Amino acid sequence: MTALPLTTLPAGAARRTRRTLRTHREGPVLTVELSTPEEGNTVTDALLDDLLAVLQDQDPAVRVLVLTGSGDDFCLGGDRGESARHLAHDPTGSGIRISGTKARRVCEALTANPAVTIARVHGKAIGAGFALALACDLRVGSEDATFRLPELALGLPTAWGGLLPRLINEVGAARVREIVLTGRAVTAAEAHSLSILQKVVPAHELDAAVAAWARPIVRRPQAALRVTKTLLNSLSAASRLADVSALDAELMAAVVAESHHSRGSV
């Protein structure tokens, strides 16, 4: 991934590397890159911990936060091997529950972030990766980007990070029902038509598209920007009166533990 070409922004770029992330700060723009490409940037407890630390330690002067992924894909979803290890340690699903709670906190931190969050999506965004992108305010994808929710085929509920209520709010219940129940891939063009993406560009134009959004945003008065984003989030939440995403971690843990127990009883 190339650095954002925000030449009009203040100088003083800074980089930092965590176990699973790389961050790049250029003036009021902070880029957070999922950085385990050899594993498809899969979501692990370590990645969730690193993301939460970055979001909690975020400089108030940051006006735009860009979330992207290294390698061929944005994010291939949750780490199934880690889930299996959690169950081996505690078959009741306590580890799954803890991970689910972290996931919800990360997605809420993206959505409620005082900065405008932009998902820069290329390649595949699957399951948890789909949820991370959807938690952002603005989403741009390359023409090869695809989105998929394979949870049902894996014997899991679609309950991760508050994904389902956000997706229904953005796309509509009928279309979401079909995507979730079939588990089919959604192309970038269809994702744009469904408002999963607000913009689709050739892969080599992703950075320019992000910069085109970031430039006017960083010039907005900070207080007005923060209040406006809060209003947008509040109005969106008002249309999700039946949002039960607080139960995501419990639902995931219960289903995974029950499936594990059933297999062990055969």
Side-chain angles (χ1 to χ4, degrees):
M1 189 190 80
T2 57
L4 296 179
L6 301 176
T7 55
T8 61
L9 298 179
R15 295 180 185 274
R16 181 176 178 182
T17 301
R18 294 176 181 265
R19 286 181 296 167
T20 65
L21 303 175
R22 287 188 295 182
T23 61
H24 171 221
R25 171 79 182 273
E26 187 171 356
V29 178
L30 174 65
T31 299
V32 179
E33 182 181 30
L34 310 182
S35 189
T36 55
E38 66 283 355
E39 300 165 3
N41 300 319
T42 52
V43 177
T44 61
D45 283 350
L47 184 141
L48 290 172
D49 288 338
D50 285 348
L51 270 175
L52 197 58
V54 167
L55 295 171
Q56 289 178 335
D57 296 341
Q58 185 177 310
D59 186 337
V62 170
R63 304 285 189 90
V64 173
L65 185 148
V66 182
L67 182 66
T68 188
S70 59
D72 294 333
D73 298 295
F74 178 76
C75 175
L76 296 185
D79 186 328
R80 295 175 64 190
E82 184 172 71
S83 296
R85 290 190 292 275
H86 281 317
L87 282 174
H89 178 71
D90 183 355
T92 67
S94 64
I96 304 293
R97 192 176 298 109
I98 291 169
S99 293
T101 299
K102 288 180 183 180
R104 184 166 181 263
R105 291 175 65 196
V106 166
C107 289
E108 287 180 347
L110 283 170
T111 299
N113 199 294
V116 173
T117 52
I118 300 176
R120 177 193 182 278
V121 183
H122 67 288
K124 297 174 182 175
I126 298 175
F130 193 159
L132 289 173
L134 199 70
C136 295
D137 300 308
L138 301 174
R139 300 173 293 274
V140 58
S142 60
E143 292 171 334
D144 71 337
T146 60
F147 298 81
R148 190 161 63 90
L149 296 173
E151 282 79 2
L152 276 180
L154 300 174
L156 302 172
T158 307
W160 195 94
L163 166 68
L164 205 53
R166 283 191 181 93
L167 191 58
I168 289 173
N169 188 65
E170 297 281 74
V171 173
R175 298 303 298 272
V176 170
R177 191 177 296 117
E178 186 260 342
I179 292 168
V180 169
L181 295 179
T182 66
R184 67 175 180 81
V186 176
T187 66
E190 183 182 6
H192 183 255
S193 72
L194 294 174
S195 297
I196 293 169
L197 292 173
Q198 288 114 323
K199 186 182 294 186
V200 176
V201 298
H204 68 276
E205 295 181 14
L206 271 174
D207 287 333
V210 171
W213 272 340
R215 284 196 183 97
I217 291 170
V218 300
R219 293 195 295 265
R220 303 296 182 248
Q222 193 165 15
L225 185 65
R226 184 176 63 252
V227 170
T228 298
K229 178 169 173 175
T230 300
L231 285 170
L232 288 169
N233 284 341
S234 297
L235 291 168
S236 177
S239 66
R240 302 199 308 263
L241 296 178
D243 185 348
V244 294
S245 58
L247 297 176
D248 277 0
E250 294 291 341
L251 293 170
M252 182 67 76
V255 171
V256 172
E258 176 62 25
S259 297
H260 178 73
H261 176 74
S262 297
R263 288 195 298 270
S265 301
V266 175

